[in-house]
Amino acid sequence: MSNKGRVFSGARPTGRQHLGNYLGAIRNYVDLQEDYDCVYCIVDLHAMTTLAELQNIKPNTAEMALDWLAAGLRPEDTILFAQSHVPQVTELHTILSMFTQLGKLTDLPTFKDKVRLQPHNVNYGLVGYPVLMTADITLYKADIVPVGVDQQSHIEFAREIVRTFNYRTKRQVLIEPQMKNTDFPKVLGTDGKKKMGKSENNHIELSLTPEETNKVVSTMVTDPQRVRRTDPGNPEVCNVFTLHKYFSHDDKVASIDTECRNAGIGCVDCKRMLADELNDHLGPFRERRAELSRNPQYIWDILYDGADRAQKIASKTIAEVKSATGIA
Ligand code: SF4
């Protein structure tokens, strides 16, 4: 690793990635490699806070890593690994938990949301989630964490734990991570209402075949006011148009905007054009994915190699943390 500054980001193992993941995170992960040393972690321990996911964690980790690599993560530069493969993170989590007030954790809106969503399973991991996340970031001495607006409070909380730790140990061992605000768009799903996600079953997977992509895109909800082909439409309320803005050339977007408003184009044709753009754009990704998936062991080799490199940083941090706390 060089001295370019280190970025850390983690994501739960959700398996095959979709357009929302791609636009919201993956393409940013790929770009950040140009300017930073990047440490990207598939947070399988975090996923265990939701019991329903247990049996899927391992296959989802492999599928997600496969998609990230196919999209352009360079394992020779970037450290890509699974959270549980670096056990020092649980050690740091335990130590940092002694520097975190329980009341602050249970007051966090994100914890309250989880309690509301899974009242039958309010496990300790849910309460300690922000502490484990702080351990993730600080273990690798990350300077920068890319965040969207909805994640800023998590990083602010992590910074607070770091400040408390450094103040109470009178050592500046842990780095207060800086937020790098990224223009994470909120990508809506095929229903045109909710954020794209697997749990909503409104997603478009990157690894679909062109035929499957055509089929899913053809089901997308458009402007609800446009009932007949002859009705003028409002592209600004249509998610098909939003996706055109990401994947189609500006002149085509401008043309669709005009033609939709004067009913010069029908939604069936508009969706077909979007599917064509997606298939063109994702073609190289899909080829690379097919190539990588011929050797499933390769993905695990990459993850284990990433864990080895991550452990080198982690061991050093843990030694410094133990020394600062006086237990070593
Ligand atoms: Fe949406 Fe295109 Fe239909 Fe207009 S023509 S409502 S932009 S799908």
Side-chain angles (χ1 to χ4, degrees):
M1 287 249 147
S2 67
N3 292 318
K4 287 196 286 187
R6 187 172 290 154
V7 161
F8 175 90
S9 188
R12 291 163 71 107
T14 50
R16 292 184 177 220
Q17 303 287 275
H18 53 67
L19 283 182
N21 302 130
Y22 176 72
L23 294 170
I26 301 171
R27 63 181 183 155
N28 190 40
Y29 283 2
V30 172
D31 290 347
L32 284 167
Q33 294 178 121
E34 304 310 320
D35 299 318
Y36 298 97
D37 290 330
C38 296
V39 179
Y40 295 140
C41 179
I42 299 177
V43 292
D44 50 359
L45 293 172
H46 281 295
M48 291 176 73
T49 54
T50 315
L51 286 177
E53 293 176 0
L54 276 183
Q55 71 283 8
N56 298 326
I57 290 176
K58 197 170 174 196
N60 278 356
T61 297
E63 291 281 3
M64 192 158 154
L66 177 56
D67 276 352
W68 287 6
L69 291 166
L73 287 204
R74 299 190 301 267
E76 61 278 17
D77 299 323
T78 290
I79 296 180
L80 172 63
F81 68 107
Q83 185 185 29
S84 65
H85 295 178
V86 181
Q88 288 91 341
V89 77
T90 55
E91 207 173 353
L92 185 56
H93 170 226
T94 301
I95 293 172
L96 292 182
S97 71
M98 314 305 175
F99 293 81
T100 310
Q101 296 304 308
L102 181 60
K104 286 197 174 181
L105 289 169
T106 52
D107 271 353
L108 287 171
T110 44
F111 173 69
K112 289 178 177 166
D113 282 348
K114 287 287 180 188
V115 172
R116 194 171 40 78
L117 286 170
Q118 53 181 69
H120 55 289
N121 182 24
V122 184
N123 55 73
Y124 166 73
L126 284 181
V127 186
Y129 202 107
V131 186
L132 182 56
M133 200 185 74
T134 306
D136 283 325
I137 299 166
T138 55
L139 187 60
Y140 306 106
K141 298 273 176 103
D143 311 289
I144 292 159
V145 180
V147 285
V149 177
D150 55 345
Q151 298 154 319
Q152 288 177 357
S153 60
H154 293 160
I155 306 305
E156 200 44 67
F157 196 78
R159 287 164 58 86
E160 200 177 319
I161 296 176
V162 169
R163 283 196 295 272
T164 305
F165 179 89
N166 287 346
Y167 175 77
R168 285 188 47 200
T169 61
K170 300 185 174 52
R171 303 264 282 275
Q172 297 297 309
V173 166
L174 299 180
I175 294 176
E176 243 185 90
Q178 302 299 314
M179 292 184 242
K180 181 174 175 57
N181 290 320
T182 43
D183 184 21
F184 284 162
K186 182 179 170 190
V187 182
L188 297 182
T190 50
D191 54 9
K193 285 184 188 150
K194 295 185 181 149
K195 189 177 169 185
M196 187 177 287
K198 287 194 169 181
S199 55
E200 301 295 344
N201 198 24
N202 65 358
H203 58 295
I204 303 173
E205 278 180 7
L206 304 176
S207 54
L208 294 178
T209 64
E211 294 71 30
E212 288 168 336
T213 305
N214 298 346
K215 201 169 164 195
V216 177
V217 171
S218 74
T219 67
M220 286 181 73
V221 173
T222 63
D223 171 6
Q225 303 293 325
R226 194 176 188 206
V227 180
R228 290 175 297 270
R229 166 70 178 77
T230 48
D231 292 339
N234 293 300
E236 63 272 12
V237 299
C238 175
N239 195 33
V240 174
F241 186 68
T242 305
L243 290 182
H244 267 298
K245 286 198 273 189
Y246 289 120
F247 293 101
S248 300
H249 289 295
D250 291 349
D251 49 354
K252 184 179 265 186
V253 174
S255 158
I256 291 170
D257 191 336
T258 307
E259 294 300 306
C260 174
R261 289 178 202 283
N262 62 25
I265 183 176
C267 294
V268 172
D269 287 339
C270 189
K271 289 182 194 177
R272 197 172 294 133
M273 283 195 285
L274 175 63
D276 288 346
E277 293 290 351
L278 288 176
N279 289 329
D280 278 355
H281 190 90
L282 294 171
F285 161 87
R286 289 167 176 168
E287 277 174 31
R288 172 107 178 107
R289 190 182 204 282
E291 192 186 315
L292 290 171
S293 58
R294 276 184 214 116
N295 180 6
Q297 186 53 42
Y298 173 75
I299 302 301
W300 290 106
D301 290 345
I302 295 288
L303 291 173
Y304 287 128
D305 176 66
D308 281 348
R309 288 152 67 201
Q311 283 210 36
K312 288 194 175 73
I313 307 170
S315 304
K316 196 163 172 281
T317 307
I318 280 292
E320 290 170 359
V321 164
K322 285 183 172 176
S323 167
T325 55
I327 58 174

